[in-house]
Amino acid sequence: MFEMLETLPADPILGLATAYREDPSPDKVDLSVGVYRNRAGQTPVMAAVIAAERSLIEQQLTKAYLPPAGAPAFREGIFRLVLGTGAAGLRERSAVIQAPGGCGALRLGAELIQRASPGAVIHLGDPTWPNHGPLLAGGGLALARHPYYDASRHVVDLQPLLAALEQAQEGSLVLLQASSHNPTGADPDRPQWEAILDVVAQRRLVPFFDIAYQGLGDDLDADAWSIRRAAERVPEMLVAVSCSKCFGLYRERTGALIVLGADAGRARAIESQANKAARSMYSMPPGHGALIAERILGDETLATNWRAELAAMAARLRSLRRDFVAAVKATRPDADIDWLAGQRGMFSLLGLKPEAVRELREQHHIYMGLDSRINIAGLSEDNVGRVAELVAPRL
Ligand code: LMR
């Protein structure tokens, strides 16, 4: 049966992390996979997560299955975290289904769309996170691309993006990253979001939001603003939520799919269909991470501590951006790099040629995506000078 299967090349992001682990050089720097790191290069377990996990282990009475849609308090907590508390009537017309990470939520969303509108087209920005395509096409959706990024100005390429969406067929979907865009670090500002949502509403497109970095851009509320604004403007939408980065729960595979329908009856139908789709793929979601997140969100002290730690992580990302810009300019005062300090979240595209990226990896042990995407959190107060010195002449 497997005689004809070829061995595939490593995943463009996860493969780099493996190559980095295997590199014996003491100078190596990992700017590849998107995980938060502290000054020591570690991805620590957040203090609120440790406390919640400890109390969970002490108090849990069972490991019996969760309900099909997931842990009830987690689902309510995540809904409020993303959609906010102000939106009257929104919860009633929403289905919230716990999912195995943001990836699981994206795939579950695709399966749900496939049940509602077989062969539907989803429009993805170019570039976007490389796993968006496989996850959504794997669920049966047809992919279309639209411009997203103006690489020469390092900003969202708004006019071509709007022109492409104006041509999109009614009822098709558009994948929108809520904030801290992966891989570009360039988000629409609020007037630009309004312009995008104008086209979405006029063309009767369905937004499919991906929110994977809430709290790591500006703050928890500002980073979800685009989703909350869209919820006021469109009757239907989907949101894939990841708890990997904002709770640091990466390996626990914790996330949720939120789907807004026109009314409470539609929400019930959506939830039942999503549960059925999940049942045919993995039956029900894993419990541990969601039970930790629900404890944090439901406990005032833990929630306050968690918000503070997350805010400190976001502040550190912003300060590393400034440090990197300053260090590049110290080497090369004429370098076009100031834009990087104004971008948000974990990622930016340096705009290096693939040969330069390879050289940095092979000769200097600095690992980044072949598209020159860097994970800002991989920089540290200790390595930023060396990285900047090596990057500056290649910009
Ligand atoms: C990334 O983009 O590096 C992260 O989202 C991790 C992943 O799964 O690719």
Side-chain angles (χ1 to χ4, degrees), residues 11 13-14 32-35 103 129-131 182-183 212-213 244-245 250 253 346-347 373 375:
D11 179 85
I13 294 174
L14 304 182
S32 65
V33 66
V35 293
C103 286
W129 179 50
N131 208 24
N182 182 0
Y213 304 97
S244 296
K245 278 87 177 176
Y250 308 90
R253 311 309 302 137
M346 278 192 177
F347 305 111
R373 186 193 80 165
N375 171 17

Coordinates of all heavy atoms in Angstrom, one line a residue, residues 11 13-14 32-35 103 129-131 182-183 212-213 244-245 250 253 346-347 373 375, ligand 1:
D11 N 8.3 20.5 7.0 CA 7.4 21.7 7.0 C 8.3 23.0 7.0 O 9.3 23.0 7.8 CB 6.6 21.6 8.3 CG 5.7 22.8 8.4 OD1 4.6 22.7 7.9 OD2 6.0 23.8 9.1
I13 N 8.1 25.8 8.4 CA 8.3 26.4 9.8 C 8.8 25.4 10.8 O 9.8 25.6 11.4 CB 7.0 27.1 10.3 CG1 6.6 28.2 9.3 CG2 7.1 27.6 11.7 CD1 5.3 28.9 9.6
L14 N 8.1 24.3 10.9 CA 8.5 23.3 12.0 C 9.8 22.7 11.6 O 10.6 22.3 12.5 CB 7.4 22.3 12.1 CG 6.0 22.8 12.4 CD1 5.0 21.7 12.6 CD2 6.0 23.7 13.7
S32 N 12.7 31.3 14.1 CA 11.8 30.6 13.2 C 10.4 30.5 13.8 O 9.6 31.4 13.7 CB 12.4 29.3 12.8 OG 12.5 28.4 14.0
V33 N 10.1 29.4 14.5 CA 8.7 29.1 14.9 C 8.2 30.1 15.9 O 8.9 30.6 16.8 CB 8.6 27.6 15.4 CG1 9.3 27.4 16.7 CG2 7.1 27.2 15.5
G34 N 6.9 30.5 15.7 CA 6.3 31.5 16.6 C 5.9 31.1 18.0 O 4.8 30.7 18.2
V35 N 6.9 31.0 18.8 CA 6.6 30.8 20.3 C 7.3 32.0 21.0 O 8.3 32.5 20.6 CB 7.2 29.5 20.8 CG1 6.4 28.3 20.2 CG2 8.7 29.4 20.6
C103 N -5.5 25.7 14.9 CA -5.5 24.9 13.7 C -6.8 24.0 13.7 O -7.5 24.0 12.6 CB -4.3 23.9 13.7 SG -2.8 24.7 13.3
W129 N -0.2 33.0 6.7 CA 0.5 31.9 7.4 C 0.4 30.7 6.5 O -0.7 30.3 6.0 CB -0.2 31.6 8.7 CG 0.3 30.5 9.5 CD1 1.6 30.3 9.9 CD2 -0.5 29.5 10.1 NE1 1.7 29.2 10.7 CE2 0.4 28.6 10.8 CE3 -1.8 29.2 10.1 CZ2 0.0 27.5 11.5 CZ3 -2.3 28.0 10.8 CH2 -1.3 27.2 11.5
P130 N 1.5 30.0 6.2 CA 1.5 28.9 5.2 C 0.6 27.7 5.5 O 0.2 27.0 4.6 CB 3.0 28.4 5.1 CG 3.7 29.2 6.1 CD 2.9 30.2 6.7
N131 N 0.2 27.6 6.7 CA -0.7 26.5 7.0 C -2.2 26.8 6.8 O -3.1 25.9 6.9 CB -0.5 26.0 8.5 CG -0.8 24.5 8.6 OD1 -0.8 23.7 7.7 ND2 -1.1 24.1 9.9
N182 N 0.5 37.4 10.7 CA 1.5 36.4 10.5 C 1.5 36.1 9.0 O 0.5 35.6 8.5 CB 1.2 35.1 11.3 CG 2.2 34.0 11.1 OD1 3.2 34.1 10.5 ND2 1.9 32.9 11.8
P183 N 2.6 36.4 8.2 CA 4.0 36.6 8.7 C 4.4 38.1 8.6 O 5.5 38.4 8.9 CB 4.8 35.9 7.6 CG 4.0 36.1 6.3 CD 2.5 36.1 6.8
A212 N -4.9 34.6 16.8 CA -3.9 33.7 17.4 C -3.0 34.4 18.4 O -2.2 33.8 19.0 CB -3.2 33.0 16.4
Y213 N -3.0 35.8 18.4 CA -2.0 36.5 19.1 C -2.7 37.6 20.0 O -2.1 38.7 20.2 CB -1.0 37.2 18.1 CG -0.4 36.2 17.2 CD1 -0.9 35.9 16.0 CD2 0.7 35.4 17.7 CE1 -0.3 34.9 15.2 CE2 1.2 34.4 16.9 CZ 0.7 34.2 15.6 OH 1.3 33.2 14.9
S244 N -2.8 29.1 22.2 CA -1.4 28.7 22.2 C -0.5 29.8 22.7 O 0.3 29.6 23.6 CB -1.0 28.3 20.8 OG -1.7 27.1 20.4
K245 N -0.6 31.0 22.1 CA 0.3 32.1 22.4 C -0.1 32.9 23.6 O 0.7 33.2 24.4 CB 0.5 33.0 21.2 CG 1.4 32.5 20.1 CD 0.8 31.6 19.1 CE 1.8 31.2 18.1 NZ 1.2 30.2 17.1
Y250 N 0.6 26.1 24.1 CA 0.9 25.5 22.8 C 0.6 24.0 22.7 O -0.3 23.6 21.9 CB 2.4 25.7 22.5 CG 2.9 27.1 22.6 CD1 3.4 27.6 23.8 CD2 2.8 28.0 21.5 CE1 3.8 28.9 23.9 CE2 3.3 29.3 21.6 CZ 3.8 29.8 22.8 OH 4.2 31.1 22.9
R253 N -3.0 22.1 22.9 CA -3.9 22.2 21.8 C -5.3 22.7 22.2 O -6.3 22.0 22.3 CB -4.1 20.8 21.0 CG -2.8 20.2 20.7 CD -1.8 21.1 19.9 NE -2.3 21.6 18.7 CZ -2.1 22.9 18.3 NH1 -1.4 23.8 19.1 NH2 -2.6 23.3 17.2
M346 N 4.4 39.0 16.9 CA 5.6 38.2 16.9 C 6.4 38.3 15.7 O 7.6 38.1 15.7 CB 5.3 36.8 17.1 CG 5.0 36.4 18.6 SD 4.9 34.6 18.7 CE 4.7 34.5 20.5
F347 N 5.8 38.7 14.5 CA 6.5 38.5 13.3 C 6.7 39.8 12.5 O 5.9 40.7 12.6 CB 5.7 37.5 12.4 CG 5.4 36.2 13.1 CD1 4.2 35.9 13.4 CD2 6.5 35.4 13.4 CE1 3.9 34.7 14.1 CE2 6.2 34.2 14.0 CZ 5.0 33.8 14.4
R373 N 10.9 35.8 7.3 CA 10.1 36.1 8.5 C 10.9 35.8 9.8 O 11.5 34.8 9.9 CB 8.9 35.2 8.5 CG 7.9 35.5 9.6 CD 6.8 34.5 9.9 NE 7.4 33.4 10.7 CZ 6.6 32.5 11.3 NH1 5.3 32.5 11.2 NH2 7.1 31.5 12.0
N375 N 10.8 35.7 14.1 CA 10.0 35.8 15.3 C 10.8 36.7 16.2 O 11.8 36.4 16.7 CB 9.9 34.4 15.9 CG 9.4 34.4 17.3 OD1 8.7 35.4 17.7 ND2 9.6 33.3 18.1
Ligands
LMR1 C1 4.2 30.0 13.4 O1 3.6 30.6 12.5 O2 5.4 29.9 13.6 C2 3.3 29.4 14.5 O3 1.9 29.7 14.2 C3 3.5 27.9 14.6 C4 3.0 27.1 13.5 O4 2.3 26.1 13.8 O5 3.4 27.3 12.3

